[in-house]
PDB file of all heavy atoms in Angstrom:
ATOM      1  N   ARG Q 793      44.888  62.125  97.648  1.00 97.00           N
ATOM      2  CA  ARG Q 793      46.219  61.535  97.676  1.00 97.00           C
ATOM      3  C   ARG Q 793      46.788  61.525  99.094  1.00 97.00           C
ATOM      4  O   ARG Q 793      47.551  60.623  99.461  1.00 97.00           O
ATOM      5  CB  ARG Q 793      47.158  62.307  96.735  1.00 97.00           C
ATOM      6  CG  ARG Q 793      46.867  62.043  95.269  1.00 97.00           C
ATOM      7  CD  ARG Q 793      47.929  62.656  94.398  1.00 97.00           C
ATOM      8  NE  ARG Q 793      47.884  64.111  94.430  1.00 97.00           N
ATOM      9  CZ  ARG Q 793      48.872  64.900  94.034  1.00 97.00           C
ATOM     10  NH1 ARG Q 793      49.998  64.373  93.594  1.00 97.00           N
ATOM     11  NH2 ARG Q 793      48.739  66.208  94.056  1.00 97.00           N
ATOM     12  N   ALA Q 794      46.400  62.543  99.893  1.00 96.00           N
ATOM     13  CA  ALA Q 794      46.913  62.596 101.270  1.00 96.00           C
ATOM     14  C   ALA Q 794      46.407  61.388 102.068  1.00 96.00           C
ATOM     15  O   ALA Q 794      47.170  60.770 102.826  1.00 96.00           O
ATOM     16  CB  ALA Q 794      46.490  63.894 101.938  1.00 96.00           C
ATOM     17  N   HIS Q 795      45.114  61.025 101.880  1.00 96.00           N
ATOM     18  CA  HIS Q 795      44.575  59.856 102.591  1.00 96.00           C
ATOM     19  C   HIS Q 795      45.292  58.583 102.140  1.00 96.00           C
ATOM     20  O   HIS Q 795      45.624  57.719 102.965  1.00 96.00           O
ATOM     21  CB  HIS Q 795      43.079  59.688 102.301  1.00 96.00           C
ATOM     22  CG  HIS Q 795      42.219  60.823 102.789  1.00 96.00           C
ATOM     23  ND1 HIS Q 795      41.559  61.674 101.939  1.00 96.00           N
ATOM     24  CD2 HIS Q 795      41.923  61.233 104.038  1.00 96.00           C
ATOM     25  CE1 HIS Q 795      40.882  62.559 102.646  1.00 96.00           C
ATOM     26  NE2 HIS Q 795      41.081  62.318 103.925  1.00 96.00           N
ATOM     27  N   ALA Q 797      48.271  58.352 100.874  1.00 97.00           N
ATOM     28  CA  ALA Q 797      49.651  58.385 101.374  1.00 97.00           C
ATOM     29  C   ALA Q 797      49.696  57.888 102.822  1.00 97.00           C
ATOM     30  O   ALA Q 797      50.567  57.091 103.192  1.00 97.00           O
ATOM     31  CB  ALA Q 797      50.209  59.803 101.286  1.00 97.00           C
ATOM     32  N   ARG Q 798      48.737  58.333 103.627  1.00 96.00           N
ATOM     33  CA  ARG Q 798      48.716  57.886 105.035  1.00 96.00           C
ATOM     34  C   ARG Q 798      48.455  56.377 105.117  1.00 96.00           C
ATOM     35  O   ARG Q 798      49.010  55.683 105.976  1.00 96.00           O
ATOM     36  CB  ARG Q 798      47.649  58.651 105.821  1.00 96.00           C
ATOM     37  CG  ARG Q 798      48.082  60.075 106.113  1.00 96.00           C
ATOM     38  CD  ARG Q 798      47.080  60.751 107.052  1.00 96.00           C
ATOM     39  NE  ARG Q 798      47.108  62.179 106.818  1.00 96.00           N
ATOM     40  CZ  ARG Q 798      46.051  62.897 106.456  1.00 96.00           C
ATOM     41  NH1 ARG Q 798      44.870  62.339 106.317  1.00 96.00           N
ATOM     42  NH2 ARG Q 798      46.192  64.188 106.248  1.00 96.00           N
ATOM     43  N   ILE Q 801      51.601  54.557 104.446  1.00 96.00           N
ATOM     44  CA  ILE Q 801      52.457  54.579 105.651  1.00 96.00           C
ATOM     45  C   ILE Q 801      51.941  53.528 106.639  1.00 96.00           C
ATOM     46  O   ILE Q 801      52.715  52.726 107.176  1.00 96.00           O
ATOM     47  CB  ILE Q 801      52.458  55.984 106.316  1.00 96.00           C
ATOM     48  CG1 ILE Q 801      53.089  57.021 105.377  1.00 96.00           C
ATOM     49  CG2 ILE Q 801      53.210  55.944 107.651  1.00 96.00           C
ATOM     50  CD1 ILE Q 801      52.987  58.464 105.866  1.00 96.00           C
ATOM     51  N   VAL Q 806      55.820  52.718 103.007  1.00 97.00           N
ATOM     52  CA  VAL Q 806      56.702  53.899 103.030  1.00 97.00           C
ATOM     53  C   VAL Q 806      56.716  54.409 104.461  1.00 97.00           C
ATOM     54  O   VAL Q 806      55.851  54.055 105.266  1.00 97.00           O
ATOM     55  CB  VAL Q 806      56.206  55.028 102.085  1.00 97.00           C
ATOM     56  CG1 VAL Q 806      56.390  54.676 100.630  1.00 97.00           C
ATOM     57  CG2 VAL Q 806      54.746  55.373 102.368  1.00 97.00           C
ATOM     58  N   ASN Q 807      57.692  55.273 104.747  1.00 96.00           N
ATOM     59  CA  ASN Q 807      57.791  55.792 106.124  1.00 96.00           C
ATOM     60  C   ASN Q 807      57.206  57.181 106.280  1.00 96.00           C
ATOM     61  O   ASN Q 807      56.808  57.563 107.370  1.00 96.00           O
ATOM     62  CB  ASN Q 807      59.265  55.830 106.565  1.00 96.00           C
ATOM     63  CG  ASN Q 807      59.844  54.436 106.657  1.00 96.00           C
ATOM     64  OD1 ASN Q 807      59.176  53.526 107.146  1.00 96.00           O
ATOM     65  ND2 ASN Q 807      61.061  54.268 106.173  1.00 96.00           N
ATOM     66  N   THR Q 808      57.206  57.964 105.185  1.00 94.00           N
ATOM     67  CA  THR Q 808      56.750  59.351 105.305  1.00 94.00           C
ATOM     68  C   THR Q 808      55.818  59.707 104.140  1.00 94.00           C
ATOM     69  O   THR Q 808      55.786  59.010 103.126  1.00 94.00           O
ATOM     70  CB  THR Q 808      57.952  60.326 105.251  1.00 94.00           C
ATOM     71  OG1 THR Q 808      58.575  60.173 103.964  1.00 94.00           O
ATOM     72  CG2 THR Q 808      58.960  60.058 106.355  1.00 94.00           C
ATOM     73  N   MET Q 809      55.094  60.829 104.314  1.00 94.00           N
ATOM     74  CA  MET Q 809      54.241  61.343 103.247  1.00 94.00           C
ATOM     75  C   MET Q 809      55.092  61.643 102.011  1.00 94.00           C
ATOM     76  O   MET Q 809      54.712  61.339 100.885  1.00 94.00           O
ATOM     77  CB  MET Q 809      53.528  62.632 103.689  1.00 94.00           C
ATOM     78  CG  MET Q 809      52.611  62.475 104.880  1.00 94.00           C
ATOM     79  SD  MET Q 809      51.063  61.638 104.467  1.00 94.00           S
ATOM     80  CE  MET Q 809      50.134  62.948 103.693  1.00 94.00           C
ATOM     81  N   GLU Q 810      56.260  62.257 102.234  1.00 95.00           N
ATOM     82  CA  GLU Q 810      57.150  62.601 101.110  1.00 95.00           C
ATOM     83  C   GLU Q 810      57.476  61.354 100.299  1.00 95.00           C
ATOM     84  O   GLU Q 810      57.432  61.363  99.068  1.00 95.00           O
ATOM     85  CB  GLU Q 810      58.461  63.237 101.602  1.00 95.00           C
ATOM     86  CG  GLU Q 810      58.374  64.713 101.886  1.00 95.00           C
ATOM     87  CD  GLU Q 810      57.588  64.997 103.139  1.00 95.00           C
ATOM     88  OE1 GLU Q 810      57.564  64.128 104.042  1.00 95.00           O
ATOM     89  OE2 GLU Q 810      56.957  66.058 103.217  1.00 95.00           O
ATOM     90  N   GLN Q 811      57.824  60.269 101.024  1.00 97.00           N
ATOM     91  CA  GLN Q 811      58.166  59.022 100.316  1.00 97.00           C
ATOM     92  C   GLN Q 811      56.975  58.508  99.511  1.00 97.00           C
ATOM     93  O   GLN Q 811      57.129  58.044  98.388  1.00 97.00           O
ATOM     94  CB  GLN Q 811      58.589  57.946 101.314  1.00 97.00           C
ATOM     95  CG  GLN Q 811      60.038  58.063 101.740  1.00 97.00           C
ATOM     96  CD  GLN Q 811      60.403  56.990 102.763  1.00 97.00           C
ATOM     97  OE1 GLN Q 811      59.657  56.038 102.989  1.00 97.00           O
ATOM     98  NE2 GLN Q 811      61.556  57.161 103.392  1.00 97.00           N
ATOM     99  N   ALA Q 812      55.770  58.604 100.092  1.00 97.00           N
ATOM    100  CA  ALA Q 812      54.574  58.126  99.385  1.00 97.00           C
ATOM    101  C   ALA Q 812      54.380  58.916  98.091  1.00 97.00           C
ATOM    102  O   ALA Q 812      54.028  58.349  97.051  1.00 97.00           O
ATOM    103  CB  ALA Q 812      53.352  58.257 100.293  1.00 97.00           C
ATOM    104  N   PHE Q 813      54.610  60.237  98.150  1.00 97.00           N
ATOM    105  CA  PHE Q 813      54.462  61.052  96.940  1.00 97.00           C
ATOM    106  C   PHE Q 813      55.610  60.803  95.967  1.00 97.00           C
ATOM    107  O   PHE Q 813      55.399  60.713  94.762  1.00 97.00           O
ATOM    108  CB  PHE Q 813      54.340  62.543  97.300  1.00 97.00           C
ATOM    109  CG  PHE Q 813      52.932  62.917  97.716  1.00 97.00           C
ATOM    110  CD1 PHE Q 813      52.488  62.690  99.007  1.00 97.00           C
ATOM    111  CD2 PHE Q 813      52.040  63.445  96.805  1.00 97.00           C
ATOM    112  CE1 PHE Q 813      51.181  62.982  99.388  1.00 97.00           C
ATOM    113  CE2 PHE Q 813      50.734  63.753  97.168  1.00 97.00           C
ATOM    114  CZ  PHE Q 813      50.311  63.518  98.469  1.00 97.00           C
ATOM    115  N   ASP Q 814      56.834  60.666  96.508  1.00 98.00           N
ATOM    116  CA  ASP Q 814      57.996  60.446  95.635  1.00 98.00           C
ATOM    117  C   ASP Q 814      57.903  59.106  94.914  1.00 98.00           C
ATOM    118  O   ASP Q 814      58.308  58.976  93.758  1.00 98.00           O
ATOM    119  CB  ASP Q 814      59.301  60.449  96.462  1.00 98.00           C
ATOM    120  CG  ASP Q 814      59.697  61.855  96.851  1.00 98.00           C
ATOM    121  OD1 ASP Q 814      59.073  62.798  96.329  1.00 98.00           O
ATOM    122  OD2 ASP Q 814      60.608  62.004  97.693  1.00 98.00           O
ATOM    123  N   LEU Q 817      52.640  58.650  94.350  1.00 98.00           N
ATOM    124  CA  LEU Q 817      51.495  59.549  94.133  1.00 98.00           C
ATOM    125  C   LEU Q 817      51.814  60.900  93.508  1.00 98.00           C
ATOM    126  O   LEU Q 817      50.909  61.605  93.054  1.00 98.00           O
ATOM    127  CB  LEU Q 817      50.782  59.798  95.481  1.00 98.00           C
ATOM    128  CG  LEU Q 817      50.263  58.543  96.177  1.00 98.00           C
ATOM    129  CD1 LEU Q 817      49.931  58.839  97.645  1.00 98.00           C
ATOM    130  CD2 LEU Q 817      49.015  58.034  95.463  1.00 98.00           C
ATOM    131  N   HIS Q 912      51.048  65.286 112.491  1.00 84.00           N
ATOM    132  CA  HIS Q 912      52.075  64.462 111.852  1.00 84.00           C
ATOM    133  C   HIS Q 912      53.047  65.292 111.019  1.00 84.00           C
ATOM    134  O   HIS Q 912      54.185  64.912 110.827  1.00 84.00           O
ATOM    135  CB  HIS Q 912      51.422  63.403 110.957  1.00 84.00           C
ATOM    136  CG  HIS Q 912      50.601  64.009 109.851  1.00 84.00           C
ATOM    137  ND1 HIS Q 912      49.435  64.697 110.091  1.00 84.00           N
ATOM    138  CD2 HIS Q 912      50.793  64.076 108.522  1.00 84.00           C
ATOM    139  CE1 HIS Q 912      48.944  65.130 108.932  1.00 84.00           C
ATOM    140  NE2 HIS Q 912      49.758  64.768 107.975  1.00 84.00           N
TER     141      HIS Q 912
END
Side-chain angles (χ1 to χ4, degrees):
R793 287 188 292 163
H795 296 113
R798 286 187 207 122
I801 296 173
V806 289
N807 295 318
T808 62
M809 299 285 282
E810 277 72 28
Q811 278 179 12
F813 279 82
D814 284 350
L817 301 164
H912 61 292

